[in-house]
Amino acid sequence: MAATSAQSMRVAPVVSAEGLNVTFNSAGGEVHALSDVNLAIERGDFVSLIGPSGCGKTTLLRVIADLQSFTSGHVRVDGLEPKVARAERLYGYVFQQPTLLPWRNIADNVGLPLQIMKTDSAKNADRVTKQLSRVGLKNFARNYPSQLSGGMQQRASIARALSFSPELLLMDEPFGALDEITRDNLNLELTDLWRETGKTCVFVTHSISEAVFLSTHIVVMSPRPGRILEVIECDLPRKRDLSIRDTPKFLEIAARVRRGLHAGHANA
């Protein structure tokens, strides 16, 4: 009876995929992007998707976000179909590029989802200020995107995704185009933000070091068609600074991810 009771109280995954396949037509013919993907992401986890270019990492993220249709299988976001989860705004999405509107200042860009959702306008200014403070941009609220560096623009993009307090944050390689120092700083800020907010995060990256530094779990994907080769737990302390990258445990996890990627290439 105790086991049955425990099972009934178990919280469902925030994201679940079962037997997921994605095939689409391109100029070069049919492309099988994802093959039999099975994945469960628990509440509060930070999960990185890593694999070679073209393996379907972004496709998987876009399927979760209802930005890409799938051919067969099942996907649920908080128990709902992706299109329902999208309509109910259960997640925020951060693209590879900041996609800020150049004619709106940073505060107005961050507040755009609130404006679209027609939330209580009296509270919106406080919500925007709170998110800008979280990403260190409170003093740049009246600046325009062209007046900010690339890293600052991405921080504004993250603030925008968090403006309506979604439980799930989907991030498609948001730091890939930035220099290493800026990327390191944003990694630090993102892991602090994740711990502070308790959000569930799904993050696409090509960087092994970035994946290990940020994540509770790393999903290693094969070359196309994308399959999940392994899900690696990052059992590092949740409070992390850059010095952790020199520890034996960090290097051990990174080596395991690298072996998984190499094995995927060998078996492709």
Side-chain angles (χ1 to χ4, degrees), residues 65-106:
D66 191 43
L67 299 176
Q68 168 71 52
S69 61
F70 55 96
T71 309
S72 62
H74 301 278
V75 181
R76 292 291 183 270
V77 179
D78 243 359
L80 303 173
E81 293 183 2
K83 63 180 179 181
V84 178
R86 183 183 184 190
E88 298 203 6
R89 297 180 173 87
L90 297 185
Y91 59 82
Y93 198 104
V94 181
F95 294 88
Q96 292 181 12
Q97 301 298 323
T99 63
L100 301 173
L101 300 178
W103 59 87
R104 295 176 70 109
N105 64 34
I106 296 305

